[in-house]
Amino acid sequence: MGKFRESVIQPILDCWSLIVGLKITGKYFCKPLVTVHYPRQVIDDENLETYGGHVELIGKPKDPATPKCISCMMCVTNCPSKCLTVVKSKPPKPTEAEEAAMKAAEEAGEKVVKPKAPKNPAKFIYDYTLCSLCGTCIDNCPAKSLKFSNNVYWVATSRKEMKIDLLARLKEQATELSAPAPKTEAAPAAAEKEA
């Protein structure tokens, strides 16, 4: 019985993982292709939504150029790659009239309320060369101000371009969304009318 188990049953048990793998391969072999032959074909919007590129900021619904970020530093603290740099905004300096009013209030024994810093970050720098795309910053953001980019066609030709100023990128995206689309069909129609 020992030799039968050793020479017949054990090889069948050893091939079980191969059989499971071939079953999965066979299942996907019968499905249609997902691969796109770029430049002859472009990626459809359905597949773009599932792509996770570099991290980017999300703008406020009413003002897309202003980030939802509240400078809580949770993304920086939890990032294992240390690829995010957030600089908080400083409180505005009071004018001479406000300083005089605060001194007068202090002398009168009143509680003086100093101006607070805005919650928006002053700088938000992302180093894509260090990022492992783990998504920890996105998961730990209490304001839900970070997401993965859906831009499949983003290209950088140097390491300097991989350090991305996310605030400038957000403002650039907001101006692209607010700018009217160019009318390409109107120009040929006008040329036909003149001729």
Side-chain angles (χ1 to χ4, degrees):
M1 185 72 175
K3 289 198 178 225
F4 178 74
R5 179 177 176 87
E6 216 176 89
S7 61
V8 176
I9 296 176
Q10 193 60 41
I12 292 172
L13 293 175
D14 291 341
C15 290
W16 181 250
S17 64
L18 178 66
I19 294 168
V20 170
L22 286 173
K23 180 181 169 189
I24 293 170
T25 303
K27 183 173 86 173
Y28 286 103
F29 185 73
C30 297
K31 288 189 175 184
L33 287 176
V34 180
T35 306
V36 174
H37 297 282
Y38 186 78
R40 292 182 297 262
Q41 296 174 333
V42 290
I43 299 169
D44 58 337
D45 292 338
E46 181 182 320
N47 285 332
L48 282 178
E49 292 172 5
T50 59
Y51 175 75
H54 62 82
V55 175
E56 64 183 9
L57 285 169
I58 299 173
K60 291 182 178 177
K62 292 184 180 176
D63 184 16
T66 306
K68 285 183 174 181
C69 180
I70 57 173
S71 301
C72 67
M73 308 297 277
M74 289 296 289
C75 56
V76 176
T77 306
N78 290 308
C79 179
S81 304
K82 305 295 180 208
C83 61
L84 293 171
T85 306
V86 179
V87 178
K88 293 183 178 183
S89 296
K90 293 182 179 179
K93 285 193 170 186
T95 61
E96 291 181 15
E98 290 173 339
E99 284 181 8
M102 289 192 316
K103 283 183 182 178
E106 275 182 24
E107 291 171 0
E110 296 176 13
K111 187 176 179 182
V112 177
V113 179
K114 294 182 179 179
K116 293 183 179 179
K119 290 186 175 183
N120 293 345
K123 286 185 182 177
F124 205 117
I125 308 296
Y126 171 66
D127 191 352
Y128 196 30
T129 59
L130 299 176
C131 185
S132 59
L133 297 173
C134 65
T136 309
C137 55
I138 295 170
D139 295 338
N140 288 301
C141 181
K144 303 294 180 212
S145 66
L146 292 171
K147 69 173 184 172
F148 285 120
S149 170
N150 293 347
N151 189 356
V152 183
Y153 305 109
W154 185 74
V155 176
T157 56
S158 69
R159 289 186 78 118
K160 289 180 181 179
E161 292 177 12
M162 299 289 252
K163 271 196 168 184
I164 306 168
D165 183 4
L166 293 182
L167 288 174
R169 181 169 166 77
L170 181 68
K171 289 176 183 170
E172 184 180 302
Q173 288 174 339
T175 54
E176 287 175 7
L177 287 175
S178 63
K183 296 180 180 179
T184 56
E185 295 178 14
E192 287 176 15
K193 286 181 183 178
E194 290 177 9

